[in-house]
Amino acid sequence: MKTKILFIVFLLSIQQIFSQQIAGSWKGDLDIEGNKLPFIVHIEKDKNSYKALLDSPAQGAEGIPAEKVSFSNNELFIEITSANASYKGKLENNTISGNFIQNGKSFPLVLKPFDKKNNKDENLEILKLSANIQESLHKIDDFISYLEKNNAEAGEISIFKEGKEIYKRNFGETSLSQKDKVTFQIGSITKSMTAMMIFKLIEKKQLNLNDKLSKFYSKISNAEKMTITQLLHHSSGLGDYVTGKNTMKWLTDKVSDEQIMNHIIEQGSLFEPGTKVQYSNSGYYLLTKILEKVSKKSYADNLKETFVQPLQLKNFYTVSQKPTNVFSSYNYANAWEPVKDFDFNNIVGVGDIATTPTNLNIIINALFAGKIISKESLSAMMPKEDRFGMGLALTSFYSKMFVGHSGGTYGTNSLMIYNGEDDISIAYSLNADRIGANNFTIDLLSILYNKKFSLPNFSSTKISETELKQYVGDYSSKDIPLGIKIFIKNGGLFGQGTGQPEFPLEYVEKDQFKFDNAGLKMIFFPEKTEMQLEQGGGKFLFNKKK
């Protein structure tokens, strides 16, 4: 049986409420560390008493029965013994105001009447997998065929349900002439493997979560304050060694361990350990070195002992094994172009593993089944108060919470996620991606959970270079300190922000272009020598330099 993990600590059972005026539906939001946890109480009269059911959308739970409740003199008292929690509130002016108490902590909670039938908030909708999962898989197949037909994606996807693979497809690779290839670079999903192996050392009493970094590397700023926990949780304050001093992509050619360590020392500490969370590749580089030092084994041997042999994995490699069956990465530049990716020797334990989506699903299902680390270790890895846990992160889709990790190299994007409630996991790698991995994920989940979505639009209109030249130039904005260069390459329009990689702009309609990977849209006004950039809900006006 799978180990069911609740992503939110509060699983409530709201009991009978004794008052006719309190019958109906009520909605409230618990504010927990800045995160809103909505729940809805439905109260129905039953002879001389009342029945109550609870919906907890953030947990995907619906119709949880009530147990024990009292309502007297307009005061509502609820005791939830199974969660060591209680609620006491007073009904005034059609609003119940009070406090929710759990494990000695008190949270303000206001309940107001709720009309479920006319609710338009999609975040309060309880999502469920289709009763006919095969029908959903056929729709996913059609969706991928559409992307393949439009030369939009190349990669592989695997879906597991109840621990077994129910869907697998490799797509788009024939157009890239890739033969005898099987595996993909999974980028930062490697960090999940590194974290699990660190916890194996902790279970063997060879390492402690409270051990200080100074025990291993004393020259790093604040090393005497940084713990293994903080390195795992991205709360150490370390910078990101993957970003170079003078250029972003300094790790496409082999550099020495000494160069990397000096760069980490030079970047120093960005904040006091434990005071905030900021994603850090440097933390996992150091964790990998600690893993090898404490275990007295190479990273490859640790992987073999923890994953390859117990799970009988094939096609699972670290860079030292020099795999030759890895799909190459491509970027779209009005045509697919090979990407110069990392020299993966520079990111061992951080992002160097090459494997298949099927293997990723095998691993994450084994993790939640207790076959890799203990239940206690898994609980420690799980995200608590923010998105990041220790080697695991949350991915939300409306009311559904998935846990796992994403990974991106300079040309391949991957994902490994699991939802315990539905016992479903999804893993994919995209080594040629035009629509953006985030959009790909949303569309997949929309199909699985019966949400409406629109197929990506691919224009077949060809714009001549003569027409494109009217947009070419250097643009600047008073709104944001970013310059953007617009130029022509391979017969298509491109953009490039100051100090950033270039990106292709795909024609939408007259004077409008988009880059789906970044959710970006540009509207040009040639007669005014202006351009409006739209991204993330913001609109920024740029002027072309004369």
Side-chain angles (χ1 to χ4, degrees), residues 204-272:
K204 294 175 182 177
K205 309 296 184 185
Q206 294 179 273
L207 193 66
N208 191 290
L209 284 172
N210 294 319
D211 284 343
K212 298 295 193 294
L213 177 60
S214 56
K215 182 177 179 180
F216 307 96
Y217 297 101
S218 59
K219 293 183 180 180
I220 295 172
S221 177
N222 271 341
E224 74 283 356
K225 299 179 183 179
M226 296 178 192
T227 64
I228 297 297
T229 291
Q230 290 161 352
L231 293 173
L232 287 164
H233 182 240
H234 299 292
S235 57
S236 67
L238 288 171
D240 186 355
Y241 84 96
V242 170
T243 301
K245 183 177 180 179
N246 300 313
T247 177
M248 286 185 64
K249 297 182 178 181
W250 77 296
L251 298 179
T252 54
D253 295 309
K254 181 72 174 75
V255 300
S256 68
D257 286 342
E258 182 181 6
Q259 286 175 288
I260 291 174
M261 192 62 70
N262 287 339
H263 188 46
I264 292 174
I265 292 171
E266 185 180 357
Q267 285 183 324
S269 182
L270 304 180
F271 53 85
E272 283 297 299

Side-chain angles (χ1 to χ4, degrees), residues 302-359:
N302 274 286
L303 286 175
K304 183 178 179 181
E305 181 180 295
T306 306
F307 301 102
V308 177
Q309 289 183 335
L311 303 179
Q312 299 181 345
L313 300 181
K314 296 180 179 179
N315 296 309
F316 188 88
Y317 309 103
T318 182
V319 66
S320 65
Q321 295 169 300
K322 300 179 180 179
T324 59
N325 63 354
V326 184
F327 283 102
S328 300
S329 297
Y330 290 81
N331 279 341
Y332 191 75
N334 211 35
W336 292 116
E337 293 185 342
V339 171
K340 184 175 184 180
D341 217 325
F342 286 98
D343 183 318
F344 290 96
N345 291 286
N346 298 322
I347 52 174
V348 175
V350 178
D352 73 303
I353 291 177
T355 190
T356 66
T358 296
N359 280 345

Side-chain angles (χ1 to χ4, degrees), residues 454-503:
S454 299
L455 288 170
N457 182 34
F458 303 103
S459 175
S460 58
T461 304
K462 298 293 182 182
I463 307 299
S464 69
E465 288 196 28
T466 301
E467 293 177 273
L468 293 176
K469 285 180 180 178
Q470 63 183 320
Y471 309 121
V472 171
D474 295 316
Y475 292 76
S476 62
S477 173
K478 296 179 181 179
D479 299 327
I480 52 176
L482 175 72
I484 296 179
K485 181 180 181 180
I486 302 297
F487 58 97
I488 296 172
K489 177 181 175 181
N490 294 341
L493 202 64
F494 279 73
Q496 185 172 22
T498 305
Q500 298 180 1
E502 64 183 40
F503 54 90

Side-chain angles (χ1 to χ4, degrees), residues 282-299:
S282 300
Y284 275 79
Y285 178 85
L286 295 172
L287 284 168
T288 300
K289 295 300 182 184
I290 292 170
L291 170 70
E292 292 181 321
K293 185 177 291 188
V294 173
S295 68
K296 299 179 180 179
K297 297 175 184 176
S298 67
Y299 192 73

Side-chain angles (χ1 to χ4, degrees), residues 14-18 49-52 66-70 77:
I14 297 182
Q15 325 307 337
Q16 294 176 341
I17 300 178
F18 295 92
S49 60
Y50 291 84
K51 292 180 179 179
E67 293 176 351
K68 183 181 178 183
V69 174
S70 66
F77 178 75

